[in-house]
Amino acid sequence: MAHFLIVEARFYAHLNDMLIEGARAALEEVGHSAEVISVPGALEVPGTIALAAESGRFDGFVAIGVVIRGETYHFEIVAGESARAIMALTLDGVAVGNGILTVENEAQALVRADPAQKNKGGEAAEAAMRLLKVRETFGG
């Protein structure tokens, strides 16, 4: 079975807890294991995944976090740059599921994070597992 690292931007703890719950459940349901590491924000998630990928200890990764639009342009930078960097990792062959929510408000985040509703943490884990299978299919 595969070993995954869940990298969370620990900014909205109650929302992240739900996202991690969904991700863990999806991974454990098929027998995979996971560790969790916390970083300050969404911009630190891709760099942490890149460092962890170099270690060779993990088969895949799940990026977890919540970015809620505020009154400044900072939302666009954080949302766009974290997604861009995660995409760059996948283009380099790293199996990453992106579970960083980018939402207008906390109510939207709650619906998406809750495993009993949209379960975006579980979906991100599913994406990471699928990418791992694709990488294995092509000899990676």
Side-chain angles (χ1 to χ4, degrees), residues 79-131:
E81 289 302 310
S82 62
R84 182 203 56 76
I86 289 170
M87 179 58 68
L89 288 165
T90 64
L91 292 173
D92 287 340
V94 180
V96 182
N98 188 352
I100 297 177
L101 305 180
T102 52
V103 296
E104 296 292 325
N105 54 55
E106 187 173 343
Q108 289 178 348
L110 281 166
V111 169
R112 286 159 179 76
D114 186 349
Q117 294 186 59
K118 295 218 179 219
N119 193 20
K120 295 299 181 180
E123 287 182 13
E126 292 284 343
M129 289 185 283
R130 287 188 200 130
L131 285 172

Side-chain angles (χ1 to χ4, degrees), residues 4-9 35 37-39 41-65 82-83 85-100 124 128 135:
F4 286 80
L5 180 63
I6 299 169
V7 180
E8 66 151 337
E35 293 178 38
I37 188 171
S38 298
V39 297
L43 291 175
E44 291 77 34
V45 170
T48 302
I49 291 171
L51 291 170
E54 289 176 9
S55 78
R57 291 181 41 211
F58 304 96
D59 300 297
F61 303 88
V62 182
I64 296 291
S82 62
I86 289 170
M87 179 58 68
L89 288 165
T90 64
L91 292 173
D92 287 340
V94 180
V96 182
N98 188 352
I100 297 177
R135 189 175 71 201

Side-chain angles (χ1 to χ4, degrees), residues 41-43 66-67 73-83 100 102:
L43 291 175
V66 179
V67 183
Y73 185 69
H74 187 66
F75 170 86
E76 281 81 7
I77 293 170
V78 174
E81 289 302 310
S82 62
I100 297 177
T102 52

